[in-house]
Amino acid sequence: MDMEKVYNFKTVEGKWSKYWVENKVFSAKVDKNKKPFTIVIPPANITGSLHMGHALNTTLQDIIIRFKKLQGYNTLWVPGTDHGGIATQNVVEKLLKKKGINKYELGREKFLEKMWQWRNETGDTILSQLKMMGCGLDWDRVAFTMDESRSKAVKKAFIELFNKGLIYRGKRLVNWCTRCGTALSDIEVEYADEKSSLWHIKYPLKDSNEYIVIATTRPETMFGDTTVAVNPDDDRYKKLLGKIVMLPLVNREIKIIADYTIDKTFGTGALKVTPSCDAVDNEIARRNNLEVIDVIDINGKLINGPESYKGLTVKEAREKVVKELEINGHLIKVEDYDHKVGKCYRCSTTIEPLMSEQWFLDVRQMSKKAIEVVDECKTIFHPESWKRPYTLWLENLRDWCISRQLWWGHRIPIYYCVDKQGNKTNCKPIASFEKPTQCLCCKGSNFVQDEDVLDTWFSSALWPISVFGWQEDKHNEELKYFYPTSVLATGHEIIYLWVARMVQFGLEFMKEVPYRDVFIHGIVRDKHGKKMSKSLGNVVDPREIMDNYGTDTLRFALACAGAPGRDIQISQESFLSARNFANKIWNASRFIIMNLEGIENLDDEDITAIELSDKWILAELYKMSLKVKKAYESYNIDTASRTLYDFFWVKYCDWYIELSKIRMMSEDLQAKKQVLKILAHVLKVILQLLSPVMPFITSEIWQILGEKKIIAESEFLNELKENDKCNIEKMKSLQDIIIALRTIRSKMNISPAQQIEALFNVLDESKEKVVKENESYVKQLAKLSSISFAKNIVRPKNSALAVVSGFEIFLPLEGLIDIEKEKTRLLKDLALAKQEIEKSTSKLQNDNFINRAPSSEIEKIKTRLNEANIKLEKVSESLKFLD
RNA sequence: GGGCAGUUAGCUCAGGUGGAAGAGCAUUUCCCUUACAAGGAAGAGGUCGCGGGUUCAAACCCUGCACUGCCCACCA
């Protein structure tokens, strides 16, 4: 077998990603004899190309899917993309704008053609990137939130909800983005700090010289004021309640009323109430039956104010109002004031709250049920700490504004009856899949469809049921088998936008939660903890990492990067160790494979552990395997990855392979076969356990090892239940000796090529046997020419000393030893021993410790004290000779 | 204003149920020893944010506080 010295990921990765797709390795069918394990991918927006967030999200899901497949589940991971509503429309709008095309001039139909063209040309970019990443998705099931079937699901859901009376139309205060020209739901508004001013304005009382001062951040909305509100307990204003004030500049009469929500301590304690521009004010107006006067239109320009203001932008109007108030002496003072201003989550334009006719979804019942199922652990958050934010959000949720004044999206399946002139009649609108033929009220046959489209998250919320064909009429086997899905993996930024809504819709339409587990992972940040963004220029492009270091490297680095639920910081440097790990795997495997050449009949079935090192590595392997599997099961992907790394590098390579070298290269074919069997077995188990994280390199090596089934389709090898802890302890003694001797060699600068002899003075007879039996280990790894065991050995001149594992070891180093260095070393040892004696003694002299600590703990301390005492004695003795 | 996380070696982070502080990177010394220099061996580096408490024993449990980050919220 020809294996390069440095792992060449490029050829390996290309080969396997192609293989998995072409051979439909991850395709799944209903199979009632097998348990399903299902994940639906969070559908990426079609504007997207792979960024670190996707890379993390999909890596974690792929790890879970591949692990479950190895465990024998019928796994299914459904791929797909999202049409992405505003985000996508914005991208195409911008592209057209560059070409000088305006969407309104183009018209709805032509614009949608452009949208579809764009979607068809670039919308699958991210899917091909997921293939490159090796994601074990079922590529026969690619879904798109706006394909025919998913569109049907959206209509079906809308019609059902409408007919239940849960979807209603109403004029309400909504979040309006003047740039996107659409309403947004409450969660689509992001708040940003903005430096502004607080203007204190005099509102004069009618027929009086008195006035009340209000404080506002939005003076330009004053033309929509319908009252001034104060707290009923505010002594300053009690006498003014019910009085009339004259609204400055327009001299309209408005009343001073009391409302308990007014904060006496803020501003002047008096609030100008503009019900059409502010949610709080709107509430006050509702409670007090106040008039609502629109002052800002959907273009962000003033209406209904004085003639000279009409058509001004908010900014222009503000400047003008302030100036006029100042001239008229109404402006008392202007304070600097920082506050949060709502911004569109897609284009960052300042949101104007304004009155608008929209479709709303009544979420009260759905929210209640969505909270219940999480309380009852029908769906479990990992980590659990996300349960509370989820619940709190649902508890305070207001009805969902689901209509958007966009063109790209699912057009609302509502039809209005129109008369011959094309004007809407007063007949009841009809929710329907197709244009109705006859009006139920007036028997008319002319209809127009609602112009609006649905919030993109409406179709996302249906994802776990729509991908399994809930919308299709035929009896649905797939939905029954694969739903509820097993786990949803996502970052915490879309718990509200998406996760909660899927639970609501899943319960509403299926009477069953959409997934058993929700695995919330962190958001990828740069090495300074900043969110990655193009504007900050701190983006680490996963494709670049894949190109430079390989996909397995990217995946491993991400898998290790953080504990569940915590944001992770990642930098170029963090990929180096993963890259090195891949190379280490390659070379260790290459070494085993080289030695396997020409050896036949290596059967996993009859592995016999002959030596201590064999028993030890099998015991460690068993321990590690349990730990890794448990970690995968509980979504502790970082623990699984790190455990594998450590085991492979330290236990397997640094110790077991090193200890096995002699036998591996031995002339004795029996001995050689025996050790290679274990080496190969351990390697295979590691490869299997690691394959979910690093599927490429493990698949390749697995194949080179001669396995017929590919690793992804293999089943976990049985661990040899070698779990005798005794062997781990025995090995520990030997390792301690080896390390002690290596330390001396290193301190004395003895070249690795130079073999030295060692005299082992036995202090603890119980250890003698193990070390004697395995003295070759010590000789080999500490590079000794010979070891002689005896009792009461006299210290040879010019020798170095190690007191370890029940031995006093002398290394005669005539001509090599540096007496001063040895002295320093021993003095340090001595100090440590003294410290230990002090600590242990004081513990053992403490009656409370003796009475209350478990006996095993007391024994441990006694042993420690004993060893320290021996060390102290032997080291001081030795120091005398050095003078 | 609430809620949630975090604070451990120079940097990035691990540390189930409390019993002598760990890794990677960086750093020092030695070594191209026939798998790997993207490597091997050895070392240096930490009063585990601060103050109380519980306990024989606290990085870990309880309680204050400080700082950082995130999310939510109608102080105009």
Side-chain angles (χ1 to χ4, degrees), chain A residues 225-409:
Chain A
D225 288 3
T226 50
T227 190
V228 170
V230 296
N231 194 296
D233 298 329
D234 195 330
D235 292 333
R236 292 173 294 177
Y237 299 123
K238 269 183 179 162
K239 57 179 192 295
L240 296 180
L241 284 175
K243 292 264 166 73
I244 305 292
V245 294
M246 301 304 290
L247 196 57
L249 306 185
V250 286
N251 273 333
R252 181 153 50 77
E253 297 185 3
I254 56 175
K255 211 171 167 184
I256 298 174
I257 63 158
D259 194 281
Y260 61 91
T261 58
I262 306 299
D263 180 353
K264 287 189 280 186
T265 63
F266 186 85
T268 61
L271 172 72
K272 73 188 251 312
V273 179
T274 322
S276 68
C277 290
D278 186 280
V280 188
D281 296 15
N282 197 266
E283 264 304 299
I284 295 173
R286 204 187 48 76
R287 277 197 294 271
N288 295 284
N289 270 323
L290 298 172
E291 194 191 351
V292 179
I293 304 169
D294 292 332
V295 277
I296 293 164
D297 71 3
I298 57 170
N299 300 311
K301 301 207 166 141
L302 262 72
I303 44 171
N304 286 340
E307 236 9 82
S308 60
Y309 281 84
K310 282 183 186 166
L312 294 186
T313 63
V314 167
K315 191 169 167 256
E316 290 163 349
R318 180 176 300 175
E319 283 163 10
K320 192 170 158 80
V321 165
V322 170
K323 208 173 194 179
E324 285 198 31
L325 288 171
E326 200 174 357
I327 292 167
N328 296 352
H330 288 288
L331 190 63
I332 301 274
K333 68 169 171 177
V334 186
E335 283 179 279
D336 285 342
Y337 186 63
D338 297 344
H339 65 151
K340 293 203 184 283
V341 177
K343 302 281 178 184
C344 171
Y345 82 140
R346 289 305 183 206
C347 72
S348 297
T349 303
T350 299
I351 292 296
E352 291 298 338
L354 50 85
M355 297 299 287
S356 170
E357 187 119 0
Q358 300 289 342
W359 289 100
F360 293 91
L361 175 63
D362 180 341
V363 293
R364 284 169 300 179
Q365 279 306 312
M366 279 186 242
S367 300
K368 225 174 154 183
K369 285 181 197 159
I371 293 168
E372 272 169 24
V373 291
V374 169
D375 272 343
E376 291 161 5
C377 293
K378 286 178 178 153
T379 288
I380 298 169
F381 277 89
H382 303 268
E384 213 190 347
S385 56
W386 285 105
K387 177 178 165 179
R388 206 170 133 79
Y390 165 92
T391 305
L392 281 175
W393 185 75
L394 282 170
E395 278 171 356
N396 298 307
L397 189 56
R398 299 197 304 173
D399 283 358
W400 178 10
C401 174
I402 51 173
S403 46
R404 296 288 176 274
Q405 289 63 52
L406 303 171
W407 289 344
W408 179 241

Side-chain angles (χ1 to χ4, degrees), chain A residues 859-872:
Chain A
E859 278 313 304
K860 219 161 82 183
I861 303 293
K862 278 185 181 166
T863 313
R864 223 180 270 165
L865 175 62
N866 190 33
E867 279 168 8
N869 274 325
I870 293 169
K871 197 163 205 164
L872 179 75

Side-chain angles (χ1 to χ4, degrees), chain A residues 495-561:
Chain A
I495 291 180
Y496 309 136
L497 277 169
W498 192 46
V499 178
R501 284 167 173 169
M502 280 189 285
V503 177
Q504 292 178 318
F505 275 16
L507 292 170
E508 184 67 22
F509 298 114
M510 293 294 295
K511 311 286 172 229
E512 174 68 285
V513 294
Y515 22 74
R516 300 289 177 213
D517 288 333
V518 181
F519 169 31
I520 301 293
H521 61 249
I523 291 171
V524 184
R525 298 174 183 281
D526 73 359
K527 62 176 169 182
H528 305 294
K530 292 248 162 65
K531 210 167 169 173
M532 285 188 182
S533 75
K534 279 179 197 156
S535 56
L536 286 174
N538 60 351
V539 176
V540 180
D541 188 341
R543 288 167 295 179
E544 217 172 276
I545 304 298
M546 287 160 75
D547 275 352
N548 295 338
Y549 305 115
T551 306
D552 280 331
T553 293
L554 172 70
R555 294 174 58 120
F556 187 79
L558 288 170
C560 286

Side-chain angles (χ1 to χ4, degrees), chain A residues 153-169:
Chain A
V154 167
K155 284 181 192 164
K156 183 177 171 183
F158 186 96
I159 294 166
E160 273 191 29
L161 293 167
F162 181 80
N163 291 338
K164 283 183 195 166
L166 292 172
I167 286 178
Y168 63 92
R169 193 160 172 81

Side-chain angles (χ1 to χ4, degrees), chain A residues 465-481:
Chain A
I465 62 178
S466 68
V467 296
F468 296 120
W470 162 79
Q471 58 279 10
E472 307 301 337
D473 297 326
K474 60 178 184 279
H475 184 61
N476 199 322
E477 283 288 306
E478 293 228 321
L479 191 59
K480 249 188 195 164
Y481 182 73

Side-chain angles (χ1 to χ4, degrees), chain A residues 15-37:
Chain A
K15 166 183 153 187
W16 285 101
S17 54
K18 203 169 146 205
Y19 182 95
W20 294 320
V21 175
E22 282 177 0
N23 293 279
K24 297 184 186 294
V25 171
F26 293 94
S27 293
K29 290 196 179 69
V30 172
D31 177 354
K32 286 184 178 153
N33 296 318
K34 283 172 95 179
K35 271 195 183 168
F37 187 94

